[in-house]
């Protein structure tokens, strides 16, 4: 059975991905920094729960150790945890605002990936899915025909652009692991993203697709539910 760990799995895209992958036969562990919300979501989904705060090194280490004790490995890591960080005008962006967003969206991926690599290396066909955004795509935000071009979110967009480069560099440096970035698209995932145009099913299509690729699947790519998109 494929063992899958999803950060930020108690709500939104993470929750829906857990639901869909469980239906496909994966054994799911969802991660959440809120124990109360995580336990509630896990019970609803019929999956396992691991407490994890991706902004805290010790929390990530403890989460990795817990899964190591229970499973000895994971096959799929979905780096889904992320925050929007607000949409201040560029002139109002401070280094503290940037750090807060990057600490979850970028450094969080680095922390989790670093400490979960040993578990992935124990898998026959390890996969990492980094949940990014079209708002981090230069091609999308510079294309006047795309909705991303209408949004000016300096902190969030630059953090997701960083996720793209993380994905490429990890993929180049670890060719034995299939590592890809995905753009869910504009999706209604809750209070923080309540103006999305897609359903949760549509928003998780790319996540589920990349979480279920085989050993000869792509690596170092950036896709949405329709296929490859520009970096």
């Amino acid at each position: 059975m494929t063992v899958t760990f999803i950060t930020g799995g108690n709500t939104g895209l993470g929750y829906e991905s857990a639901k869909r992958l469980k239906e496909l036969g994966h054994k799911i562990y969802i991660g959440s920094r809120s124990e109360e919300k995580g336990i509630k979501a896990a019970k609803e989904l019929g999956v396992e729960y691991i407490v994890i705060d991706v902004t805290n090194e010790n929390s990530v280490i403890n989460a990795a150790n817990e899964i190591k004790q229970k499973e000895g490995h994971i096959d799929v890591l979905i780096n889904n945890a992320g925050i929007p960080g607000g949409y201040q005008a560029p002139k109002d962006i401070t280094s503290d605002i940037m750090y807060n967003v990057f600490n979850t969206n970028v450094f969080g991926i680095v922390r989790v990936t670093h400490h979960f690599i040993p578990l992935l290396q124990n898998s026959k066909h390890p996969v990492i899915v980094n949940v990014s955004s079209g708002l981090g795509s230069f091609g999308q935000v510079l294309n006047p025909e795309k909705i991303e071009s209408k949004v000016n979110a300096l902190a969030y967009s630059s953090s997701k652009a960083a996720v793209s480069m993380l994905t490429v560099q990890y993929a180049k440096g670890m060719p034995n692991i299939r590592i890809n970035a995905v753009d869910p698209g504009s999706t209604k995932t809750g209070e923080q993203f309540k103006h999305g145009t897609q359903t949760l099913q549509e928003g998780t299509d790319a996540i589920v697709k990349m979480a279920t690729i085989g050993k000869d699947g792509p690596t170092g790519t950036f896709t949405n539910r329709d296929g490859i998109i520009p970096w």
Side-chain angles (χ1 to χ4, degrees), residues 119-218:
L119 293 171
L120 286 160
Q121 289 176 331
N122 289 335
S123 169
K124 292 181 180 179
H125 310 302
V127 169
I128 297 176
V129 180
N130 291 328
V131 179
S132 187
S133 169
L135 287 173
S137 160
F138 288 86
Q140 300 287 82
V141 301
L142 293 174
N143 183 345
E145 297 182 359
K146 298 294 182 179
I147 190 172
E148 289 86 355
S149 69
K150 310 300 188 293
V151 179
N152 191 326
L154 193 156
Y156 181 79
S157 293
S158 59
S159 76
K160 291 303 185 178
V163 171
S164 294
M165 186 55 74
L166 283 180
T167 301
V168 170
Q169 295 300 327
Y170 277 134
K172 288 174 63 178
M174 296 185 289
N176 60 313
I177 304 177
R178 306 287 91 186
I179 307 172
N180 296 283
V182 297
D183 166 29
S186 177
T187 306
K188 296 177 182 177
T189 59
E191 186 62 29
Q192 291 184 320
F193 293 98
K194 59 185 177 181
H195 301 299
T197 58
Q198 295 184 148
T199 65
L200 279 173
Q201 167 122 8
E202 292 170 328
T204 53
D205 280 349
I207 298 173
V208 171
K209 181 178 180 180
M210 284 300 164
T212 54
I213 57 175
K215 64 178 181 179
D216 297 320

Side-chain angles (χ1 to χ4, degrees), residues 3-220:
V3 178
T4 297
F5 179 59
I6 307 172
T7 65
N10 65 288
T11 187
L13 296 169
Y15 185 99
E16 182 70 11
S17 296
K19 178 182 177 182
R20 294 181 65 181
L21 290 170
K22 180 178 184 288
E23 291 172 351
L24 293 174
H26 289 220
K27 181 172 184 179
I28 304 293
Y29 286 84
I30 60 169
S32 168
R33 62 184 176 182
S34 167
E35 186 172 2
E36 180 182 356
K37 293 179 180 178
I39 291 174
K40 180 177 181 293
K43 184 177 181 180
E44 292 171 353
L45 290 164
V47 303
E48 302 291 326
Y49 165 67
I50 299 287
V51 62
I52 185 171
D53 179 351
V54 302
T55 67
N56 183 290
E57 195 86 18
N58 287 332
S59 177
V60 175
I61 292 171
N62 291 338
N65 286 337
E66 185 173 350
I67 294 183
K68 180 180 180 181
Q69 292 172 4
K70 291 182 176 180
E71 302 290 343
H73 78 286
I74 61 169
D75 301 292
V76 180
L77 168 63
I78 301 179
N79 284 312
N80 170 70
I83 60 172
Y87 294 98
Q88 301 89 347
K91 67 181 180 61
D92 296 323
I93 295 292
T94 65
S95 60
D96 286 342
I97 291 172
M98 291 293 290
Y99 178 80
N100 183 52
V101 174
F102 270 63
N103 197 26
T104 296
N105 296 2
V106 182
F107 307 145
I109 288 180
V110 174
R111 290 186 191 97
V112 174
T113 301
H114 175 71
H115 291 294
F116 277 77
I117 283 173
L119 293 171
L120 286 160
Q121 289 176 331
N122 289 335
S123 169
K124 292 181 180 179
H125 310 302
V127 169
I128 297 176
V129 180
N130 291 328
V131 179
S132 187
S133 169
L135 287 173
S137 160
F138 288 86
Q140 300 287 82
V141 301
L142 293 174
N143 183 345
E145 297 182 359
K146 298 294 182 179
I147 190 172
E148 289 86 355
S149 69
K150 310 300 188 293
V151 179
N152 191 326
L154 193 156
Y156 181 79
S157 293
S158 59
S159 76
K160 291 303 185 178
V163 171
S164 294
M165 186 55 74
L166 283 180
T167 301
V168 170
Q169 295 300 327
Y170 277 134
K172 288 174 63 178
M174 296 185 289
N176 60 313
I177 304 177
R178 306 287 91 186
I179 307 172
N180 296 283
V182 297
D183 166 29
S186 177
T187 306
K188 296 177 182 177
T189 59
E191 186 62 29
Q192 291 184 320
F193 293 98
K194 59 185 177 181
H195 301 299
T197 58
Q198 295 184 148
T199 65
L200 279 173
Q201 167 122 8
E202 292 170 328
T204 53
D205 280 349
I207 298 173
V208 171
K209 181 178 180 180
M210 284 300 164
T212 54
I213 57 175
K215 64 178 181 179
D216 297 320
T219 192

